[in-house]
């Protein structure tokens, strides 16, 4: 009788499916958390925009955001719990840059580079120490704003710089005349709608032509606490010209200034390249606290340059184009060629 | 048989595939048209006697069409090369189109002048070099502007410049002009101070004979405290600091009333008097002994 009763009891009981119960047992053995009924996965990598139904989409978005908040809190607690954990520096765009064969890490190692630079167009300046002789012109019919710019800029370069008005001559003719008169550099400043916009820099006897785009010009007067500079030859700082093309540009810009700096004058001119933008700054420096600190006073104008074209040969010649900044080059945020 | 009237009426009223209608005027796209406008006199299809001028590779040709050749479309247009000399070319036109309507001759001469002017301009531009017009792309400009600002921030210019200058100083680029090798500097300064000190001692002994008023003698106990802190540093530095410190006090002794008042404002000071000369001498001895 008792057995019958027990059988009846057994008969009424609902049996679990064998595999399911086994799963639970296995998980308990492993020590994992039991899966919640319904099975919520984490929404961290779920693309909410896949859902076409608006209401549902909003729902799931809310859920996702809540989850993100929670994970953030957890992470923060972890951070505070271990203060000794190594702090990683955040990655910047400069770190993510593609590094080619053109990138120059250490100039001393690269003999080829050094040999090339011995023979290049600027050897007169770097090897023999010949001072540059610069001629400055403008586009046709320059405006007052251009003249103001020239007033600021002309004295920054060495003593041997002269301004000649443009007067309907073509650049080809100007090149000829300046070579005859013994100039070594030709700078043409061009403007667009009364704002200075371009610089064409031609190194004269055979030299390469650079086409720059000039932006963000602040004149001396608008710089707070600016100083007046003297005639001393300035020192040069050329920062972060990393690739071969960059080095060409850097050398070209260095060749605009007199070859021997006079340290007494304490004048510095910097061309700093950051992500293909070349920043020009002009300072006077002073060492303080027995050489522990430097104090800088800004002197001249500020502007930025972007290289648009580097071509061998003079302006009109069909020389080989070493670098031309096309639109596709700079679509990527991490692109940098100098 | 080709009757010009009929052709014109059909083309004009009906459909002409070379005709372009605009609000003010009708144009003709036919390559043999002299004027380029759509009218009965200048339509090459509706005139069996017609002439134009066309330019190929820098040379001007006179194309002539007559009614006799209307049946042979391949030989319809006779091509005559005009001379490069302008006047001679005009004479050639007169010859070839002798007894033709004035309209035809005049329009042909006009066309010739226009084409020649165009050729002169092309030659000039090729030789002199012309300004290339490049379009401004708004999106690219906007993008560049923003990137420039970010690059400026990332560049950290002042720090970069300062670092460069400090590096150059350490590498000894400025050694001829500035003496900022700190150890050497201190040594030199120390030597000088020893010499100065001996002189000073003599001076002090001489001057101690004078009477100091209360106001001039200001001794700051704070300075003495600094003295004690220096015990932890190296002996050389200690000596130098002591001597410097000594310089300080002596300078303070020398200062005038006005300056003393200014100094007073800065810190709270305690006035003490040296009454005995012996104390001073003892202090000196102690410092030197260290």
């Amino acid at each position: 009788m008792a057995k019958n009763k027990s059988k009846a009891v057994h008969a009424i009981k609902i049996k679990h499916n064998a595999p399911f119960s086994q799963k639970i047992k296995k998980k308990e053995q492993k020590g994992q958390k039991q899966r919640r009924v319904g099975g919520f996965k984490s929404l961290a990598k779920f693309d909410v925009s896949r859902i076409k139904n608006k209401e549902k989409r909003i729902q799931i978005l809310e859920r996702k955001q809540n989850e993100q908040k929670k994970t953030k809190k957890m992470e923060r607690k972890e951070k505070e719990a271990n203060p000794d954990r190594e702090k990683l520096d955040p990655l910047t765009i400069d770190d993510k840059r593609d590094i080619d064969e053109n990138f120059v890490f250490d100039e001393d190692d690269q003999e080829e580079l050094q040999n090339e630079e011995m023979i290049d167009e600027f050897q007169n300046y770097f090897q023999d120490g010949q001072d540059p002789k610069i001629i400055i012109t403008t586009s046709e019919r320059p405006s007052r704003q251009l003249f103001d710019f020239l007033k600021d800029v002309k004295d920054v370069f060495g003593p041997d710089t002269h301004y000649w008005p443009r007067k309907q001559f073509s650049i080809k003719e100007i090149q000829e005349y300046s070579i005859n008169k013994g100039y070594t550099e030709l700078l043409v400043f061009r403007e667009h709608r009364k704002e200075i916009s371009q610089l064409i820099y031609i190194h004269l006897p055979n030299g390469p032509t650079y086409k720059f785009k000039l932006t963000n010009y602040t004149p001396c007067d608008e710089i707070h606490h600016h100083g007046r500079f003297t005639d001393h030859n300035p020192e040069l700082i050329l920062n972060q010209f990393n690739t071969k093309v960059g080095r060409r540009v850097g050398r070209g810009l260095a060749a605009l200034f007199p070859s021997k700096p006079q340290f007494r004058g304490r004048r510095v001119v910097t061309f700093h390249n950051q992500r293909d933008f070349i920043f020009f700054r002009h300072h006077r420096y002073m060492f303080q606290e027995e050489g522990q600190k430097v104090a800088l006073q800004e002197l001249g104008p500020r502007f930025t340059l972007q290289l648009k074209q580097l071509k061998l040969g003079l302006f009109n010649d069909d020389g080989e184009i070493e670098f031309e900044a096309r639109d596709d080059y700079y679509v990527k945020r991490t692109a940098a060629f100098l | 048989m080709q009757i010009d009237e009929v052709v014109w009426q059909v083309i004009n009223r009906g459909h002409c595939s070379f005709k372009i209608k605009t609000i003010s005027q009708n144009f003709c796209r036919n390559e043999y048209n002299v004027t380029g406008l759509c009218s009965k006199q200048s339509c090459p299809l509706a005139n069996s006697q017609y002439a134009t001028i066309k330019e190929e590779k820098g040379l001007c040709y006179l194309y002539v069409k007559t009614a006799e050749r209307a049946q042979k479309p391949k030989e319809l247009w006779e091509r005559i090369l005009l001379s490069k000399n302008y006047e001679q070319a005009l004479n050639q036109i007169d010859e070839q189109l002798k007894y033709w309507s004035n309209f035809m001759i005049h329009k042909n001469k006009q066309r010739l002048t226009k084409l020649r002017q165009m050729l002169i301009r092309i030659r000039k531009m090729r030789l002199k070099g012309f300004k290339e017009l490049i379009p401004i792309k708004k999106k690219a400009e906007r993008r560049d502007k923003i990137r420039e600002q970010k690059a400026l921030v990332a560049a950290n210019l002042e720090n970069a410049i300062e670092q460069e200058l400090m590096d150059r100083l350490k590498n000894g680029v400025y050694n001829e002009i500035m003496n900022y090798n700190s150890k050497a500097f201190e040594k030199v300064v120390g030597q000088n101070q020893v010499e100065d000190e001996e002189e000073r001692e003599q001076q002090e002994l001489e001057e101690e004979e004078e009477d100091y008023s209360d106001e001039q003698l200001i001794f700051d106990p704070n300075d003495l405290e600094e003295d004690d802190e220096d015990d932890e540093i190296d002996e050389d530095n200690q000596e130098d600091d002591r001597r410097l410190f000594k310089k300080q006090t002596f300078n303070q002794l020398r200062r005038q009333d006005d300056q003393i008042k200014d100094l007073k404002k800065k810190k709270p000071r305690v006035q003490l008097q040296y009454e005995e000369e012996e104390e001073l001498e003892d202090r000196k001895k102690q410092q030197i002994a260290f």
Side-chain angles (χ1 to χ4, degrees), chain B residues 176-193:
Chain B
E176 297 168 348
I177 297 173
M178 307 187 205
N179 310 321
Y180 277 127
N181 265 323
S182 50
K183 283 186 183 173
F185 181 69
E186 276 177 27
K187 272 187 191 170
V188 171
V189 168
Q191 282 172 11
N192 283 341
Q193 281 192 327

Side-chain angles (χ1 to χ4, degrees), chain A residues 215-216 235-236 294 327 330, chain B residues 137 147-148 166 168 174:
Chain A
T215 45
N216 266 1
E235 250 183 276
L236 282 180
V294 195
D327 297 335
Y330 287 109
Chain B
K137 300 192 179 172
R147 283 196 191 168
E148 200 189 304
M166 298 298 293
R168 287 188 188 178
Y174 307 124

Side-chain angles (χ1 to χ4, degrees), chain B residues 107-118:
Chain B
K107 288 297 175 187
N108 273 299
K109 286 183 182 175
Q110 275 190 339
R111 196 175 167 89
L112 177 71
T113 42
K114 260 283 150 76
L115 284 172
R116 285 185 70 88
Q117 283 170 354
M118 189 187 83

Side-chain angles (χ1 to χ4, degrees), chain A residues 26-179:
Chain A
K26 276 184 186 173
K27 279 198 178 170
E28 282 175 343
Q29 281 167 6
K30 282 185 186 176
Q32 282 178 7
K33 280 185 194 172
Q34 217 180 24
R35 233 182 168 197
R36 264 200 278 172
V37 176
F40 289 130
K41 281 187 190 175
S42 88
L43 291 171
K45 293 184 183 176
F46 184 69
D47 187 10
V48 180
S49 56
R50 260 199 286 156
I51 303 173
K52 303 290 182 183
N53 186 336
K54 186 171 178 181
E55 276 187 38
K56 186 75 179 175
R57 193 174 24 178
I58 292 173
Q59 230 181 44
I60 293 195
L61 221 199
E62 274 183 35
R63 225 189 281 165
K64 186 176 175 181
Q65 284 171 344
N66 284 337
E67 214 190 293
Q68 279 173 347
K69 275 189 199 170
K70 281 184 188 173
T71 48
K72 243 192 172 180
K73 261 193 179 177
M74 297 267 289
E75 279 178 12
R76 199 175 272 179
K77 276 190 184 174
E78 270 183 42
K79 266 193 189 176
E80 286 172 11
N82 337 346
D84 296 334
R85 217 168 55 156
E86 270 185 47
K87 273 197 176 178
L88 301 167
D89 292 328
L91 282 178
T92 57
I93 291 178
D94 304 308
D95 297 327
K96 296 179 191 169
R97 173 190 169 150
D98 296 329
I99 295 187
D100 303 74
E101 49 182 22
N102 284 328
F103 202 87
V104 176
F105 286 102
D106 193 6
E107 60 177 359
D108 295 332
D109 282 348
Q110 303 215 0
E111 275 194 45
E112 269 188 52
L113 229 197
Q114 289 188 349
N115 289 337
E116 273 181 34
E117 290 186 351
M118 297 254 280
I119 319 172
D120 83 355
E121 292 99 341
F122 299 106
Q123 57 173 217
N124 280 336
Y125 177 83
F126 284 101
Q127 245 108 73
D128 306 338
Q130 191 191 62
D131 280 347
K133 196 174 174 190
I134 306 178
I135 175 173
I136 302 183
T137 35
T138 61
S139 48
E140 288 175 20
R141 314 194 79 218
S143 64
R144 173 182 65 84
Q145 284 84 353
L146 234 195
F147 278 122
D148 290 340
F149 175 80
L150 288 179
K151 275 183 219 167
D152 271 348
V153 156
K154 184 187 165 237
D155 297 323
V156 175
F157 307 118
D160 227 348
T161 60
H162 304 109
Y163 165 73
W164 286 69
R166 177 71 183 268
K167 277 191 189 175
Q168 307 296 326
F169 292 118
S170 71
I171 293 186
K172 211 179 173 189
E173 293 172 341
I174 297 179
Q175 274 171 25
E176 264 186 61
Y177 303 153
S178 28
I179 293 174

Side-chain angles (χ1 to χ4, degrees), chain A residues 93-94 96-98 100 274-277 323 326-338, chain B residues 143 147:
Chain A
I93 291 178
D94 304 308
K96 296 179 191 169
R97 173 190 169 150
D98 296 329
D100 303 74
Q274 186 87 12
R275 303 176 198 171
D276 283 12
F277 293 98
F323 177 77
R326 283 201 208 108
D327 297 335
D328 356 334
Y329 284 26
Y330 287 109
V331 171
K332 242 186 167 187
R333 212 176 291 178
T334 55
F337 301 94
L338 294 188
Chain B
R143 194 223 294 152
R147 283 196 191 168

Side-chain angles (χ1 to χ4, degrees), chain B residues 42-285:
Chain B
S42 50
C43 184
L45 305 172
N47 287 311
S48 43
Q49 206 183 42
Y50 200 81
T52 21
I53 300 197
K54 283 170 82 174
E55 177 262 330
E56 269 176 53
K57 294 184 185 177
L59 300 169
C60 295
Y61 295 92
L62 175 68
Y63 283 72
V64 181
K65 164 186 166 184
T66 38
E68 285 82 42
R69 295 196 299 271
Q71 267 82 33
K72 307 183 225 170
K74 195 181 177 187
E75 297 164 22
L76 187 59
W77 291 98
E78 185 190 345
R79 189 167 114 152
I80 305 161
L81 172 64
L82 297 174
S83 85
K84 287 189 185 175
N85 187 336
Y86 183 57
E87 286 184 30
Q88 283 183 19
L90 292 175
N91 289 331
Q92 271 178 312
I93 291 177
D94 273 330
E95 274 181 49
Q96 298 291 332
L97 304 183
K98 216 173 186 180
Y99 312 124
W100 282 39
S101 59
N102 279 332
F103 175 83
M104 214 47 358
I105 300 171
H106 185 59
K107 288 297 175 187
N108 273 299
K109 286 183 182 175
Q110 275 190 339
R111 196 175 167 89
L112 177 71
T113 42
K114 260 283 150 76
L115 284 172
R116 285 185 70 88
Q117 283 170 354
M118 189 187 83
L119 289 170
I120 290 167
R121 229 179 298 137
I122 291 173
R123 244 175 259 139
K124 236 196 211 174
M125 286 168 85
R126 284 277 172 80
L127 288 174
K128 221 184 176 186
F130 53 94
K131 289 179 193 169
E132 209 184 319
L133 293 174
I134 305 174
I136 296 176
K137 300 192 179 172
K138 273 193 190 173
K139 192 176 179 184
E141 296 279 308
R142 211 191 319 140
R143 194 223 294 152
D144 282 344
K145 223 181 176 184
I146 292 174
R147 283 196 191 168
E148 200 189 304
Q149 286 171 12
K150 298 207 169 176
L152 229 195
V153 172
N156 219 346
L157 277 172
E158 303 228 330
N159 284 349
I161 298 173
E162 286 175 9
Q163 248 190 15
E164 254 293 321
L165 290 172
M166 298 298 293
D167 288 341
R168 287 188 188 178
L169 183 70
K170 280 177 191 170
N171 290 335
V173 177
Y174 307 124
N175 268 344
E176 297 168 348
I177 297 173
M178 307 187 205
N179 310 321
Y180 277 127
N181 265 323
S182 50
K183 283 186 183 173
F185 181 69
E186 276 177 27
K187 272 187 191 170
V188 171
V189 168
Q191 282 172 11
N192 283 341
Q193 281 192 327
V194 170
E195 293 164 359
D196 287 341
E197 214 204 81
E198 289 170 355
E199 293 176 355
R200 285 262 166 67
E201 279 183 25
Q202 288 173 359
Q203 284 179 5
E204 280 175 14
L205 291 170
E206 290 170 357
E207 288 179 341
E208 275 167 8
E209 295 168 352
E210 297 172 30
D211 289 324
Y212 288 106
S213 61
D214 295 348
E215 293 170 351
Q216 284 179 353
L217 289 172
I218 297 173
F219 175 66
D220 200 7
N222 295 331
D223 289 343
L224 261 187
E225 285 172 3
E226 281 173 25
D227 212 6
D228 293 327
E229 285 171 0
D230 290 341
D231 287 338
E232 295 169 358
I233 314 172
D234 296 330
E235 287 186 352
D236 289 330
N237 287 340
Q238 264 188 350
E239 278 188 338
D240 292 333
D241 287 336
R242 295 272 160 70
R243 284 173 192 141
L244 285 173
F245 162 68
K246 207 187 164 194
K247 236 185 173 176
Q248 247 178 19
T249 48
F250 191 76
N251 285 335
Q252 282 170 5
L253 289 172
R254 277 189 190 163
R255 272 190 200 119
Q256 292 172 1
D257 293 336
D258 296 328
Q259 290 174 344
I260 291 166
K261 282 176 192 169
D262 288 333
L263 288 172
K264 270 186 188 175
K265 285 174 196 169
K266 284 180 191 173
K267 293 187 209 173
R269 285 193 173 233
V270 176
Q271 279 193 25
L272 291 176
Q273 263 186 5
Y274 282 116
E275 287 174 11
E276 293 167 309
E277 294 170 356
E278 290 169 356
E279 273 188 25
L280 258 181
E281 283 181 24
D282 283 334
R283 280 242 161 76
K284 282 180 217 167
K285 282 178 190 170

